[in-house]
Amino acid sequence: MRVRILLVLPLVLWLTGCAALHGAAGGGLPSPPPSPAPSPTPETTPLAGVTPWIDGSPAGFHQGLAVPVGDNVSPPAETQPGYWSAALTAPSEAKAGQTLEYEVTLTNIFSRALAFPNGCPGYMEALAAPSSWTTGKEWFLLNCGLMGTVQPGASVRFAMRIEVPATTPPGTLSLLWGLDTGLANYGGSATDLTVTR
């Protein structure tokens, strides 16, 4: 009985060693899967240059209000106007019946970084003359998708355009622009330009 055990045990050890050598030489042991690539971190620096204009309508008013980074709850709507300042850069002249292209620079004037975690906000634009003629307010969607987090004092620029109707009276008009902040009485930015035919 003992002789049989002694004969079987070396045979088992020999087979185990052959299997180990086969795995090492023939690549029978699978290599561990590669570790996944790290996911990209969100953009934390405002984009350089001008963010292109998009033809989009907001999903609803007050849907994309700015939120201070790190806050779990959106601040009350009445604090929104104190978050941004808007400056318009537009040509001094526009032609009736054509498209006017201009830029809006939004600057974070709040004490903390700001972002739009709930989607991009809407903005309003209009042309108005002293004679009470106006195009009426039109609402569009701000192209903020690549904007990321805007640090205090930092600015981002957006390309804008507005159709100047062929019926626009010639003379000095105001170009009006305003970000949807959740307040109906929040005044936007404005700049004057001359419309010709």
Side-chain angles (χ1 to χ4, degrees):
M1 197 71 157
R2 287 183 182 173
V3 174
R4 288 182 186 171
I5 291 176
L6 291 175
L7 289 177
V8 171
L9 188 56
L11 181 62
V12 171
L13 292 174
W14 181 78
L15 290 174
T16 304
C18 288
L21 288 174
H22 175 71
L29 299 176
S31 59
S35 58
S39 58
T41 56
E43 184 72 34
T44 57
T45 304
L47 298 177
V50 182
T51 303
W53 178 88
I54 58 169
D55 186 7
S57 298
F61 292 121
H62 321 325
Q63 294 299 308
L65 299 181
V67 175
V69 173
D71 278 5
N72 294 326
V73 180
S74 297
E78 60 265 25
T79 65
Q80 293 287 326
Y83 283 5
W84 305 102
S85 70
L88 305 183
T89 304
S92 59
E93 292 187 2
K95 196 161 181 117
Q98 295 186 357
T99 301
L100 172 68
E101 296 186 352
Y102 64 102
E103 294 176 9
V104 170
T105 301
L106 288 180
T107 301
N108 178 359
I109 58 173
F110 193 57
S111 59
R112 295 176 58 184
L114 296 172
F116 292 114
N118 302 316
C120 295
Y123 67 89
M124 173 280 302
E125 63 179 5
L127 291 171
S131 62
S132 74
W133 178 93
T134 181
T135 57
K137 295 178 180 178
E138 289 189 274
W139 289 90
F140 297 95
L141 186 67
L142 191 70
N143 187 13
C144 76
L146 299 176
M147 192 178 81
T149 300
V150 182
Q151 301 298 324
S155 299
V156 285
R157 289 189 297 158
F158 297 92
M160 296 285 153
R161 63 180 64 165
I162 188 171
E163 299 300 324
V164 184
T167 57
T168 304
T172 301
L173 272 74
S174 292
L175 170 62
L176 310 174
W177 190 94
L179 188 67
D180 179 15
T181 62
L183 288 181
N185 62 349
Y186 172 50
S189 298
T191 188
D192 290 338
L193 53 91
T194 302
V195 173
T196 59
R197 288 188 181 273

